[in-house]
Structure formats: structure tokens, C-alpha cells
Amino acid sequence: GAVVSQHPSRVICKSGTSVKIECRSLDFQATTMFWYRQFPKQSLMLMATSNEGSKATYEQGVEKDKFLINHASLTLSTLTVTSAHPEDSSFYICSASLQGYTDTQYFGPGTRLTVL
Amino acid sequence: GQQVMQIPQYQHVQEGEDFTTYCNSSTTLSNIQWYKQRPGGHPVFLIQLVKSGEVKKQKRLTFQFGEAKKNSSLHITATQTTDVGTYFCAGRDSWGKLQFGAGTQVVVTP
């Protein structure tokens, strides 16, 4: 149980285009979903936390207009990287929990974004 | 703000040897979690420690939470090649936010 999927697993796009990444909890309803960014050989950096039906809470230094998050249902959250630039190239990982902050987070397999 | 430091950053281990990775927080934690990320993979939850001084074991892995709830350790005995990966600790502060350490990358040589 507690499986989280992400789509796509890998995406290459041109600079200036927007990319949407989906995060789904497959066998449970996730009250809260988290979006992380991971640079090569570095730790996970929390970008934002989203609760179903409400606006996402962004961490300091993360641009809301650049990284649009939508948590449309209890099983789906999307991250859209708008007007992507090469410096946005990274590994984006989502996680989902049953009951918000205090519950165990189950991680998706990640999406490798490369912006040319 | 809360900072979670993890050492060492890199650990080269001979198969069969033991090693320990340490996690220290600048503030008291409500709990601490450990994750393992295989090369090219995503973090996988290993365990959560909640109580002061708690010790939990998973086969060859021993997890410990300090008495002051500001530090934790993961000790692996008789390392195997399947132990390769990066081990992250993640401390949860009093507001519920989880902060990850930088990770310890473990390389095992036969």
C-alpha cells in the first residue's frame, strides 16, 4: 500500500516553455502533498506543501508564479514549471501523506526535468 | 531556523564492516525519520523515532534517537552490497515541518 506515482518520469523541454508534472496517490487519499527539488548528490529541498482544495504554502525563496501547484483532488497534485529555464533543470519529487505534516510521507519516483 | 546536519557526507565501506551515520539538529525535534535512496531512485521511508532515547532495529540496521531529541544515528552492521545508497535523516520540528539532512552516500566494496 501507500504507492505514489509521478508522470512523466523524465522530460526535456526548450527554454521558455511550461512543463506540468503530475503526482498521484494510487491506493490512498492524500490530505497533503509535498513537492521537493533535489540537485545532483544533494538533499531534498522542500518547495511547497499543498492541501486538497486550498492554496499551496510555498517555502521561502520559492517563486509562486514560477512553480504553480494545484491539488485538485485527494489523489492528484500537479506542479507546473512556467517559462522554464536551464537553471530549473533538476529532479522534482513529490510525496503524499494521509494526514498532513505529522504523518509519514510516501515519495513518488521523481521527475527528471532538463531544460535546454 | 531549524538546521539538520548529517555526517559523514560520504562513507566508503568494505563489505562486512560496520558503519554509522549521524544526524544533528539545532533545535529539539518532535520526531526523526530515516530514508534510503538508491542511485537513480527516490527516497524510501525506513523508520520513524519519536521517544527520547528510543532505539529501533531492522535486521542489521539500528536506529537511535538521542535523549535530548536533537540527534540521531543509524548504525549498519556487516555491510552488504545491497546497502549501497544515500541515507537521509529528516527531522520534524514542533510546527510539523520535515527538514532533510544532506545525506550520507554509502559505497560498498566487495
Short mmCIF file of all heavy atoms in Angstrom, two decimals, chain A residues 14-79:
data_model
loop_
_atom_site.label_atom_id
_atom_site.label_comp_id
_atom_site.label_asym_id
_atom_site.label_seq_id
_atom_site.Cartn_x
_atom_site.Cartn_y
_atom_site.Cartn_z
N LYS A 14 12.29 22.88 -24.14
CA LYS A 14 13.04 24.06 -24.57
C LYS A 14 12.85 25.19 -23.56
O LYS A 14 11.80 25.29 -22.91
CB LYS A 14 12.58 24.53 -25.94
CG LYS A 14 12.96 23.58 -27.08
CD LYS A 14 12.51 24.17 -28.41
CE LYS A 14 12.87 23.23 -29.56
NZ LYS A 14 12.41 23.76 -30.86
N SER A 15 13.82 26.04 -23.48
CA SER A 15 13.74 27.19 -22.60
C SER A 15 12.55 28.05 -22.98
O SER A 15 12.29 28.29 -24.17
CB SER A 15 15.04 28.00 -22.74
OG SER A 15 15.12 29.00 -21.78
N GLY A 16 11.80 28.49 -21.97
CA GLY A 16 10.64 29.34 -22.23
C GLY A 16 9.32 28.60 -22.25
O GLY A 16 8.25 29.22 -22.17
N THR A 17 9.35 27.30 -22.33
CA THR A 17 8.11 26.52 -22.33
C THR A 17 7.73 26.15 -20.90
O THR A 17 8.53 26.29 -19.97
CB THR A 17 8.25 25.23 -23.16
OG1 THR A 17 9.31 24.43 -22.58
CG2 THR A 17 8.59 25.55 -24.61
N SER A 18 6.48 25.70 -20.75
CA SER A 18 6.00 25.28 -19.43
C SER A 18 5.86 23.77 -19.38
O SER A 18 5.54 23.13 -20.38
CB SER A 18 4.65 25.93 -19.14
OG SER A 18 4.79 27.32 -19.01
N VAL A 19 6.11 23.22 -18.22
CA VAL A 19 6.07 21.76 -18.04
C VAL A 19 5.19 21.43 -16.85
O VAL A 19 5.33 22.02 -15.79
CB VAL A 19 7.49 21.21 -17.79
CG1 VAL A 19 7.44 19.72 -17.47
CG2 VAL A 19 8.38 21.48 -18.99
N LYS A 20 4.29 20.46 -17.05
CA LYS A 20 3.43 20.04 -15.95
C LYS A 20 3.83 18.66 -15.48
O LYS A 20 4.01 17.73 -16.28
CB LYS A 20 1.96 20.02 -16.39
CG LYS A 20 1.01 19.62 -15.26
CD LYS A 20 -0.43 19.46 -15.73
CE LYS A 20 -1.12 20.77 -15.84
NZ LYS A 20 -2.58 20.61 -16.08
N ILE A 21 3.96 18.50 -14.16
CA ILE A 21 4.30 17.22 -13.55
C ILE A 21 3.14 16.80 -12.66
O ILE A 21 2.64 17.60 -11.86
CB ILE A 21 5.59 17.33 -12.70
CG1 ILE A 21 6.76 17.82 -13.56
CG2 ILE A 21 5.92 15.98 -12.06
CD1 ILE A 21 7.99 18.21 -12.76
N GLU A 22 2.72 15.55 -12.81
CA GLU A 22 1.60 15.05 -12.02
C GLU A 22 2.08 14.12 -10.91
O GLU A 22 3.00 13.33 -11.11
CB GLU A 22 0.62 14.26 -12.90
CG GLU A 22 -0.14 15.09 -13.88
CD GLU A 22 -1.20 14.27 -14.63
OE1 GLU A 22 -1.19 13.03 -14.49
OE2 GLU A 22 -2.01 14.89 -15.32
N CYS A 23 1.43 14.21 -9.78
CA CYS A 23 1.72 13.35 -8.64
C CYS A 23 0.41 12.72 -8.19
O CYS A 23 -0.55 13.45 -7.90
CB CYS A 23 2.33 14.18 -7.52
SG CYS A 23 2.67 13.25 -6.01
N ARG A 24 0.36 11.41 -8.17
CA ARG A 24 -0.87 10.71 -7.79
C ARG A 24 -0.63 9.72 -6.66
O ARG A 24 0.34 8.97 -6.68
CB ARG A 24 -1.44 9.93 -8.98
CG ARG A 24 -1.99 10.77 -10.10
CD ARG A 24 -2.56 9.92 -11.22
NE ARG A 24 -2.89 10.74 -12.37
CZ ARG A 24 -4.05 11.36 -12.52
NH1 ARG A 24 -5.00 11.22 -11.61
NH2 ARG A 24 -4.28 12.09 -13.59
N SER A 25 -1.54 9.73 -5.69
CA SER A 25 -1.53 8.67 -4.69
C SER A 25 -2.47 7.59 -5.21
O SER A 25 -3.64 7.85 -5.48
CB SER A 25 -2.00 9.21 -3.34
OG SER A 25 -3.27 9.80 -3.43
N LEU A 26 -1.94 6.38 -5.41
CA LEU A 26 -2.69 5.36 -6.13
C LEU A 26 -3.65 4.56 -5.26
O LEU A 26 -4.69 4.11 -5.73
CB LEU A 26 -1.71 4.39 -6.82
CG LEU A 26 -0.80 5.03 -7.88
CD1 LEU A 26 0.03 3.97 -8.57
CD2 LEU A 26 -1.62 5.82 -8.90
N ASP A 27 -3.31 4.37 -4.01
CA ASP A 27 -4.14 3.49 -3.19
C ASP A 27 -4.53 4.12 -1.86
O ASP A 27 -4.94 3.41 -0.93
CB ASP A 27 -3.44 2.15 -2.97
CG ASP A 27 -2.04 2.33 -2.44
OD1 ASP A 27 -1.61 3.50 -2.24
OD2 ASP A 27 -1.36 1.33 -2.20
N PHE A 28 -4.41 5.41 -1.78
CA PHE A 28 -4.88 6.09 -0.57
C PHE A 28 -5.21 7.55 -0.92
O PHE A 28 -4.78 8.07 -1.94
CB PHE A 28 -3.83 6.02 0.55
CG PHE A 28 -2.57 6.82 0.29
CD1 PHE A 28 -2.37 8.06 0.88
CD2 PHE A 28 -1.57 6.31 -0.53
CE1 PHE A 28 -1.19 8.78 0.66
CE2 PHE A 28 -0.40 7.02 -0.77
CZ PHE A 28 -0.21 8.26 -0.17
N GLN A 29 -5.97 8.17 -0.05
CA GLN A 29 -6.33 9.57 -0.26
C GLN A 29 -5.36 10.43 0.53
O GLN A 29 -5.24 10.28 1.75
CB GLN A 29 -7.76 9.82 0.18
CG GLN A 29 -8.77 9.10 -0.71
CD GLN A 29 -10.19 9.51 -0.41
OE1 GLN A 29 -10.53 9.73 0.74
NE2 GLN A 29 -11.02 9.62 -1.43
N ALA A 30 -4.68 11.30 -0.17
CA ALA A 30 -3.65 12.12 0.44
C ALA A 30 -4.19 13.50 0.79
O ALA A 30 -4.49 14.30 -0.09
CB ALA A 30 -2.47 12.25 -0.52
N THR A 31 -4.29 13.77 2.07
CA THR A 31 -4.72 15.09 2.51
C THR A 31 -3.71 16.14 2.10
O THR A 31 -4.07 17.24 1.71
CB THR A 31 -4.87 15.11 4.04
OG1 THR A 31 -5.69 14.04 4.46
CG2 THR A 31 -5.44 16.43 4.51
N THR A 32 -2.47 15.76 2.22
CA THR A 32 -1.39 16.71 1.96
C THR A 32 -0.37 16.12 1.00
O THR A 32 -0.03 14.94 1.10
CB THR A 32 -0.66 17.07 3.27
OG1 THR A 32 -1.64 17.48 4.23
CG2 THR A 32 0.33 18.20 3.05
N MET A 33 0.07 16.94 0.07
CA MET A 33 1.14 16.53 -0.84
C MET A 33 2.26 17.56 -0.77
O MET A 33 2.02 18.75 -0.56
CB MET A 33 0.62 16.39 -2.26
CG MET A 33 -0.23 15.14 -2.44
SD MET A 33 -0.71 14.89 -4.16
CE MET A 33 -1.41 13.26 -4.10
N PHE A 34 3.47 17.07 -0.93
CA PHE A 34 4.64 17.92 -0.81
C PHE A 34 5.44 17.84 -2.12
O PHE A 34 5.53 16.78 -2.73
CB PHE A 34 5.54 17.43 0.33
CG PHE A 34 4.84 17.31 1.66
CD1 PHE A 34 4.13 16.17 1.98
CD2 PHE A 34 4.92 18.35 2.58
CE1 PHE A 34 3.49 16.05 3.22
CE2 PHE A 34 4.28 18.23 3.81
CZ PHE A 34 3.56 17.10 4.13
N TRP A 35 6.02 18.95 -2.47
CA TRP A 35 6.89 18.97 -3.66
C TRP A 35 8.31 19.33 -3.23
O TRP A 35 8.53 20.32 -2.52
CB TRP A 35 6.38 19.97 -4.69
CG TRP A 35 5.17 19.47 -5.40
CD1 TRP A 35 3.85 19.73 -5.10
CD2 TRP A 35 5.12 18.59 -6.53
NE1 TRP A 35 3.02 19.08 -5.96
CE2 TRP A 35 3.77 18.37 -6.85
CE3 TRP A 35 6.11 17.97 -7.30
CZ2 TRP A 35 3.37 17.56 -7.91
CZ3 TRP A 35 5.73 17.16 -8.35
CH2 TRP A 35 4.37 16.96 -8.66
N TYR A 36 9.25 18.50 -3.67
CA TYR A 36 10.66 18.70 -3.34
C TYR A 36 11.46 18.84 -4.63
O TYR A 36 11.08 18.37 -5.69
CB TYR A 36 11.22 17.49 -2.58
CG TYR A 36 10.67 17.28 -1.20
CD1 TYR A 36 9.48 16.58 -0.99
CD2 TYR A 36 11.36 17.76 -0.08
CE1 TYR A 36 8.98 16.37 0.28
CE2 TYR A 36 10.86 17.55 1.20
CZ TYR A 36 9.68 16.85 1.37
OH TYR A 36 9.20 16.64 2.64
N ARG A 37 12.61 19.44 -4.45
CA ARG A 37 13.56 19.55 -5.56
C ARG A 37 14.87 18.97 -5.06
O ARG A 37 15.25 19.20 -3.90
CB ARG A 37 13.71 21.03 -5.91
CG ARG A 37 14.56 21.30 -7.11
CD ARG A 37 14.47 22.76 -7.46
NE ARG A 37 15.30 23.06 -8.61
CZ ARG A 37 15.39 24.23 -9.21
NH1 ARG A 37 14.69 25.25 -8.74
NH2 ARG A 37 16.16 24.40 -10.25
N GLN A 38 15.53 18.22 -5.90
CA GLN A 38 16.81 17.64 -5.50
C GLN A 38 17.84 17.84 -6.59
O GLN A 38 17.67 17.39 -7.72
CB GLN A 38 16.65 16.14 -5.20
CG GLN A 38 17.91 15.51 -4.63
CD GLN A 38 17.72 14.03 -4.30
OE1 GLN A 38 16.97 13.33 -4.96
NE2 GLN A 38 18.39 13.56 -3.25
N PHE A 39 18.93 18.54 -6.24
CA PHE A 39 20.05 18.71 -7.17
C PHE A 39 20.96 17.50 -7.03
O PHE A 39 20.95 16.82 -6.01
CB PHE A 39 20.79 20.01 -6.88
CG PHE A 39 19.98 21.23 -7.21
CD1 PHE A 39 19.35 21.98 -6.23
CD2 PHE A 39 19.82 21.64 -8.54
CE1 PHE A 39 18.60 23.09 -6.54
CE2 PHE A 39 19.06 22.75 -8.86
CZ PHE A 39 18.45 23.47 -7.85
N PRO A 40 21.77 17.23 -8.06
CA PRO A 40 22.63 16.05 -8.04
C PRO A 40 23.46 15.95 -6.77
O PRO A 40 24.09 16.92 -6.36
CB PRO A 40 23.52 16.24 -9.28
CG PRO A 40 22.68 17.06 -10.20
CD PRO A 40 21.90 17.99 -9.32
N LYS A 41 23.39 14.80 -6.14
CA LYS A 41 24.17 14.49 -4.93
C LYS A 41 23.89 15.47 -3.80
O LYS A 41 24.74 15.68 -2.93
CB LYS A 41 25.66 14.47 -5.26
CG LYS A 41 26.02 13.39 -6.27
CD LYS A 41 27.49 13.19 -6.42
CE LYS A 41 27.76 12.06 -7.39
NZ LYS A 41 29.18 11.77 -7.57
N GLN A 42 22.70 16.03 -3.80
CA GLN A 42 22.32 16.91 -2.69
C GLN A 42 21.03 16.42 -2.05
O GLN A 42 20.40 15.47 -2.52
CB GLN A 42 22.15 18.35 -3.19
CG GLN A 42 23.45 18.99 -3.62
CD GLN A 42 23.30 20.47 -3.87
OE1 GLN A 42 22.46 21.14 -3.27
NE2 GLN A 42 24.14 20.99 -4.74
N SER A 43 20.66 17.10 -0.99
CA SER A 43 19.48 16.66 -0.26
C SER A 43 18.20 17.16 -0.91
O SER A 43 18.23 17.91 -1.88
CB SER A 43 19.57 17.17 1.18
OG SER A 43 18.55 16.58 1.95
N LEU A 44 17.10 16.74 -0.34
CA LEU A 44 15.81 17.20 -0.84
C LEU A 44 15.49 18.56 -0.24
O LEU A 44 15.64 18.78 0.96
CB LEU A 44 14.71 16.22 -0.43
CG LEU A 44 14.71 14.87 -1.10
CD1 LEU A 44 15.59 13.90 -0.34
CD2 LEU A 44 13.31 14.32 -1.20
N MET A 45 15.05 19.45 -1.07
CA MET A 45 14.67 20.78 -0.62
C MET A 45 13.17 20.92 -0.80
O MET A 45 12.65 20.81 -1.92
CB MET A 45 15.40 21.84 -1.43
CG MET A 45 15.15 23.25 -0.95
SD MET A 45 15.72 24.48 -2.13
CE MET A 45 14.40 24.45 -3.32
N LEU A 46 12.47 21.15 0.29
CA LEU A 46 11.03 21.31 0.21
C LEU A 46 10.69 22.60 -0.51
O LEU A 46 11.20 23.67 -0.16
CB LEU A 46 10.42 21.32 1.62
CG LEU A 46 8.90 21.50 1.70
CD1 LEU A 46 8.18 20.31 1.07
CD2 LEU A 46 8.45 21.67 3.14
N MET A 47 9.84 22.51 -1.53
CA MET A 47 9.44 23.69 -2.28
C MET A 47 8.11 24.22 -1.77
O MET A 47 7.94 25.42 -1.56
CB MET A 47 9.30 23.35 -3.77
CG MET A 47 10.57 22.88 -4.43
SD MET A 47 10.27 22.34 -6.11
CE MET A 47 9.78 23.85 -6.89
N ALA A 48 7.16 23.31 -1.60
CA ALA A 48 5.83 23.74 -1.21
C ALA A 48 5.03 22.57 -0.67
O ALA A 48 5.33 21.41 -0.92
CB ALA A 48 5.10 24.35 -2.41
N THR A 49 4.01 22.94 0.09
CA THR A 49 3.09 21.97 0.67
C THR A 49 1.70 22.31 0.18
O THR A 49 1.30 23.48 0.21
CB THR A 49 3.11 22.07 2.20
OG1 THR A 49 4.45 21.87 2.65
CG2 THR A 49 2.20 21.03 2.82
N SER A 50 0.97 21.30 -0.28
CA SER A 50 -0.38 21.60 -0.74
C SER A 50 -1.40 20.70 -0.06
O SER A 50 -1.16 19.51 0.15
CB SER A 50 -0.48 21.44 -2.26
OG SER A 50 -0.45 20.09 -2.65
N ASN A 51 -2.49 21.30 0.31
CA ASN A 51 -3.62 20.57 0.86
C ASN A 51 -4.75 20.62 -0.14
O ASN A 51 -4.98 21.64 -0.80
CB ASN A 51 -4.07 21.19 2.18
CG ASN A 51 -3.06 20.97 3.28
OD1 ASN A 51 -2.82 19.84 3.69
ND2 ASN A 51 -2.45 22.04 3.73
N GLU A 52 -5.46 19.52 -0.25
CA GLU A 52 -6.54 19.41 -1.23
C GLU A 52 -7.54 20.54 -1.07
O GLU A 52 -8.02 20.82 0.03
CB GLU A 52 -7.23 18.05 -1.07
CG GLU A 52 -8.29 17.77 -2.11
CD GLU A 52 -9.69 18.10 -1.65
OE1 GLU A 52 -9.89 18.19 -0.43
OE2 GLU A 52 -10.57 18.27 -2.50
N GLY A 53 -7.78 21.21 -2.18
CA GLY A 53 -8.81 22.26 -2.19
C GLY A 53 -8.36 23.62 -1.70
O GLY A 53 -9.15 24.56 -1.67
N SER A 54 -7.11 23.76 -1.29
CA SER A 54 -6.65 25.07 -0.83
C SER A 54 -5.33 25.44 -1.50
O SER A 54 -4.70 24.61 -2.14
CB SER A 54 -6.51 25.09 0.69
OG SER A 54 -5.59 24.12 1.11
N LYS A 55 -4.96 26.69 -1.33
CA LYS A 55 -3.72 27.17 -1.97
C LYS A 55 -2.49 26.53 -1.32
O LYS A 55 -2.47 26.28 -0.12
CB LYS A 55 -3.62 28.68 -1.84
CG LYS A 55 -4.57 29.45 -2.74
CD LYS A 55 -4.32 30.96 -2.63
CE LYS A 55 -5.28 31.72 -3.52
NZ LYS A 55 -5.08 33.19 -3.43
N ALA A 56 -1.49 26.34 -2.14
CA ALA A 56 -0.25 25.75 -1.63
C ALA A 56 0.51 26.74 -0.76
O ALA A 56 0.40 27.96 -0.94
CB ALA A 56 0.62 25.30 -2.79
N THR A 57 1.27 26.20 0.18
CA THR A 57 2.15 27.02 1.01
C THR A 57 3.57 26.84 0.49
O THR A 57 4.10 25.73 0.50
CB THR A 57 2.08 26.56 2.49
OG1 THR A 57 0.73 26.65 2.93
CG2 THR A 57 2.97 27.44 3.35
N TYR A 58 4.16 27.93 0.07
CA TYR A 58 5.49 27.87 -0.53
C TYR A 58 6.57 28.18 0.50
O TYR A 58 6.38 29.01 1.39
CB TYR A 58 5.60 28.87 -1.69
CG TYR A 58 4.78 28.48 -2.89
CD1 TYR A 58 3.41 28.74 -2.95
CD2 TYR A 58 5.38 27.85 -3.97
CE1 TYR A 58 2.66 28.36 -4.05
CE2 TYR A 58 4.64 27.48 -5.09
CZ TYR A 58 3.28 27.73 -5.11
OH TYR A 58 2.55 27.35 -6.21
N GLU A 59 7.70 27.52 0.36
CA GLU A 59 8.84 27.79 1.23
C GLU A 59 9.50 29.09 0.80
O GLU A 59 9.35 29.55 -0.35
CB GLU A 59 9.84 26.64 1.17
CG GLU A 59 9.31 25.33 1.73
CD GLU A 59 8.89 25.44 3.17
OE1 GLU A 59 9.74 25.83 4.00
OE2 GLU A 59 7.72 25.13 3.47
N GLN A 60 10.23 29.65 1.73
CA GLN A 60 10.91 30.91 1.45
C GLN A 60 11.85 30.75 0.27
O GLN A 60 12.60 29.77 0.18
CB GLN A 60 11.71 31.32 2.70
CG GLN A 60 12.09 32.78 2.74
CD GLN A 60 12.62 33.15 4.12
OE1 GLN A 60 12.92 32.30 4.94
NE2 GLN A 60 12.75 34.44 4.35
N GLY A 61 11.80 31.70 -0.64
CA GLY A 61 12.69 31.67 -1.79
C GLY A 61 12.14 30.94 -2.99
O GLY A 61 12.76 30.96 -4.06
N VAL A 62 11.01 30.31 -2.87
CA VAL A 62 10.41 29.60 -4.00
C VAL A 62 9.36 30.50 -4.64
O VAL A 62 8.44 30.98 -3.96
CB VAL A 62 9.75 28.28 -3.54
CG1 VAL A 62 9.07 27.57 -4.71
CG2 VAL A 62 10.79 27.37 -2.89
N GLU A 63 9.50 30.75 -5.93
CA GLU A 63 8.59 31.67 -6.61
C GLU A 63 7.25 31.01 -6.90
O GLU A 63 7.17 30.03 -7.65
CB GLU A 63 9.22 32.12 -7.93
CG GLU A 63 10.52 32.88 -7.79
CD GLU A 63 11.13 33.17 -9.16
OE1 GLU A 63 10.47 33.85 -9.98
OE2 GLU A 63 12.26 32.69 -9.42
N LYS A 64 6.20 31.59 -6.37
CA LYS A 64 4.85 31.03 -6.55
C LYS A 64 4.42 31.07 -8.01
O LYS A 64 3.75 30.17 -8.50
CB LYS A 64 3.84 31.84 -5.74
CG LYS A 64 4.06 31.85 -4.27
CD LYS A 64 3.04 32.73 -3.56
CE LYS A 64 3.36 32.82 -2.09
NZ LYS A 64 2.38 33.62 -1.36
N ASP A 65 4.78 32.16 -8.69
CA ASP A 65 4.33 32.31 -10.08
C ASP A 65 5.12 31.42 -11.03
O ASP A 65 4.70 31.18 -12.15
CB ASP A 65 4.46 33.77 -10.52
CG ASP A 65 3.56 34.68 -9.70
OD1 ASP A 65 2.50 34.20 -9.25
OD2 ASP A 65 3.92 35.85 -9.51
N LYS A 66 6.25 30.97 -10.58
CA LYS A 66 7.10 30.14 -11.44
C LYS A 66 6.73 28.66 -11.26
O LYS A 66 6.72 27.91 -12.20
CB LYS A 66 8.55 30.31 -11.03
CG LYS A 66 9.49 29.42 -11.78
CD LYS A 66 10.60 30.23 -12.39
CE LYS A 66 11.42 29.34 -13.27
NZ LYS A 66 11.04 29.48 -14.67
N PHE A 67 6.44 28.29 -10.03
CA PHE A 67 6.10 26.90 -9.73
C PHE A 67 4.65 26.85 -9.25
O PHE A 67 4.36 27.04 -8.08
CB PHE A 67 7.06 26.35 -8.67
CG PHE A 67 8.50 26.35 -9.07
CD1 PHE A 67 9.36 27.35 -8.63
CD2 PHE A 67 9.00 25.37 -9.91
CE1 PHE A 67 10.70 27.36 -9.02
CE2 PHE A 67 10.34 25.36 -10.29
CZ PHE A 67 11.19 26.35 -9.85
N LEU A 68 3.76 26.61 -10.20
CA LEU A 68 2.34 26.61 -9.89
C LEU A 68 1.91 25.23 -9.40
O LEU A 68 2.16 24.23 -10.05
CB LEU A 68 1.53 26.98 -11.14
CG LEU A 68 1.82 28.35 -11.75
CD1 LEU A 68 0.99 28.55 -13.00
CD2 LEU A 68 1.55 29.46 -10.74
N ILE A 69 1.27 25.21 -8.26
CA ILE A 69 0.84 23.94 -7.69
C ILE A 69 -0.67 23.93 -7.55
O ILE A 69 -1.28 24.87 -7.06
CB ILE A 69 1.50 23.70 -6.32
CG1 ILE A 69 3.00 23.45 -6.53
CG2 ILE A 69 0.86 22.52 -5.60
CD1 ILE A 69 3.81 23.42 -5.26
N ASN A 70 -1.24 22.81 -8.01
CA ASN A 70 -2.68 22.62 -7.91
C ASN A 70 -2.95 21.27 -7.28
O ASN A 70 -2.44 20.25 -7.74
CB ASN A 70 -3.32 22.70 -9.30
CG ASN A 70 -4.81 22.60 -9.23
OD1 ASN A 70 -5.39 21.52 -9.08
ND2 ASN A 70 -5.47 23.74 -9.32
N HIS A 71 -3.74 21.26 -6.23
CA HIS A 71 -4.08 19.99 -5.54
C HIS A 71 -5.58 19.81 -5.73
O HIS A 71 -6.38 20.10 -4.83
CB HIS A 71 -3.70 20.11 -4.07
CG HIS A 71 -3.67 18.80 -3.35
ND1 HIS A 71 -2.89 18.59 -2.23
CD2 HIS A 71 -4.29 17.64 -3.57
CE1 HIS A 71 -3.05 17.36 -1.80
NE2 HIS A 71 -3.90 16.76 -2.59
N ALA A 72 -5.94 19.32 -6.91
CA ALA A 72 -7.34 19.33 -7.33
C ALA A 72 -8.19 18.28 -6.61
O ALA A 72 -9.39 18.47 -6.42
CB ALA A 72 -7.42 19.09 -8.84
N SER A 73 -7.57 17.19 -6.21
CA SER A 73 -8.34 16.14 -5.56
C SER A 73 -7.46 15.47 -4.51
O SER A 73 -6.28 15.78 -4.39
CB SER A 73 -8.81 15.10 -6.58
OG SER A 73 -7.72 14.28 -6.98
N LEU A 74 -8.04 14.56 -3.78
CA LEU A 74 -7.28 13.87 -2.72
C LEU A 74 -6.27 12.87 -3.27
O LEU A 74 -5.53 12.26 -2.50
CB LEU A 74 -8.24 13.16 -1.76
CG LEU A 74 -8.98 14.08 -0.78
CD1 LEU A 74 -10.07 13.32 -0.06
CD2 LEU A 74 -8.01 14.70 0.22
N THR A 75 -6.25 12.71 -4.58
CA THR A 75 -5.29 11.76 -5.16
C THR A 75 -4.40 12.39 -6.22
O THR A 75 -3.56 11.70 -6.81
CB THR A 75 -6.02 10.55 -5.79
OG1 THR A 75 -6.92 11.04 -6.80
CG2 THR A 75 -6.79 9.75 -4.75
N LEU A 76 -4.55 13.67 -6.47
CA LEU A 76 -3.77 14.29 -7.54
C LEU A 76 -3.31 15.69 -7.18
O LEU A 76 -4.08 16.54 -6.75
CB LEU A 76 -4.61 14.36 -8.83
CG LEU A 76 -4.00 15.13 -10.00
CD1 LEU A 76 -2.74 14.46 -10.50
CD2 LEU A 76 -5.02 15.28 -11.13
N SER A 77 -2.01 15.91 -7.37
CA SER A 77 -1.44 17.25 -7.27
C SER A 77 -0.57 17.45 -8.50
O SER A 77 0.06 16.50 -8.98
CB SER A 77 -0.60 17.39 -6.00
OG SER A 77 0.02 18.66 -5.94
N THR A 78 -0.56 18.68 -9.01
CA THR A 78 0.28 18.96 -10.17
C THR A 78 1.21 20.12 -9.87
O THR A 78 0.85 21.06 -9.15
CB THR A 78 -0.56 19.29 -11.42
OG1 THR A 78 -1.36 20.44 -11.15
CG2 THR A 78 -1.43 18.14 -11.83
N LEU A 79 2.40 20.03 -10.43
CA LEU A 79 3.38 21.11 -10.35
C LEU A 79 3.66 21.55 -11.78
O LEU A 79 4.03 20.73 -12.62
CB LEU A 79 4.68 20.61 -9.70
CG LEU A 79 5.90 21.52 -9.83
CD1 LEU A 79 5.72 22.80 -9.04
CD2 LEU A 79 7.17 20.80 -9.36
#
